[in-house]
Amino acid sequence: MKTAIVYSSTTGNTEQLANAIKEAAPDAYFSTADVADPSEVLSAELILLGSPAMGAEQLEDSMEEFFSGIEGQISGKTIGLFGSYDWGERVKAAGAKLKGIAKAQLAPDSQALEDAKALLN
């Protein structure tokens, strides 16, 4: 299954989750949101997106920009989310199938890292 992992991270916590997933899926397309190729991501069967919560529980700016750019094209796609922000309702409203959410507040503990890797299953 072709997988795409795209994330943004401000303190490194979401990056730790992204790296744990990448370790479990070494052949996945892997990128930060600020430079991710939308066509590569949209061609994946499983899209995993990670973002920290910013301000009043909003996506980090580069993830907001990336996600807004693909949001109208994800209907029917399978998407998993990771980070410290739950935007599952927004993903479902765009018509995607929400595979799951792996959340970590502050530095991810071993359970959060396992939950992130479980998004691949």
Side-chain angles (χ1 to χ4, degrees):
M1 170 187 309
K2 183 176 178 189
T3 301
I5 304 163
V6 178
Y7 73 97
S8 61
S9 188
T10 55
T11 63
N13 294 335
T14 306
E15 183 176 20
Q16 286 181 48
L17 294 169
N19 286 329
I21 298 168
K22 173 68 172 149
E23 189 176 293
D27 295 330
Y29 173 80
F30 186 76
S31 180
T32 56
D34 59 334
V35 297
D37 180 345
S39 62
E40 279 287 330
V41 175
L42 291 169
S43 70
E45 297 169 63
L46 174 61
I47 301 169
L48 302 179
L49 303 171
S51 179
M54 305 301 292
E57 292 297 304
Q58 301 165 325
L59 290 175
E60 185 275 334
D61 289 345
S62 66
M63 181 54 78
E64 177 61 46
E65 185 176 332
F66 177 77
F67 186 70
S68 292
I70 67 167
E71 193 168 4
Q73 301 170 68
I74 62 170
S75 183
K77 296 284 185 183
T78 301
I79 297 180
L81 304 175
F82 62 96
S84 61
Y85 179 68
D86 180 356
W87 38 309
E89 291 306 314
R90 185 172 171 189
V91 167
K92 289 190 281 188
K97 295 177 256 176
L98 184 62
K99 180 159 186 155
I101 299 170
K103 283 180 66 176
Q105 299 300 324
L106 303 175
D109 60 14
S110 60
Q111 184 60 56
L113 294 170
E114 289 304 313
D115 291 346
K117 289 189 259 183
L119 292 171
L120 293 166
N121 301 326

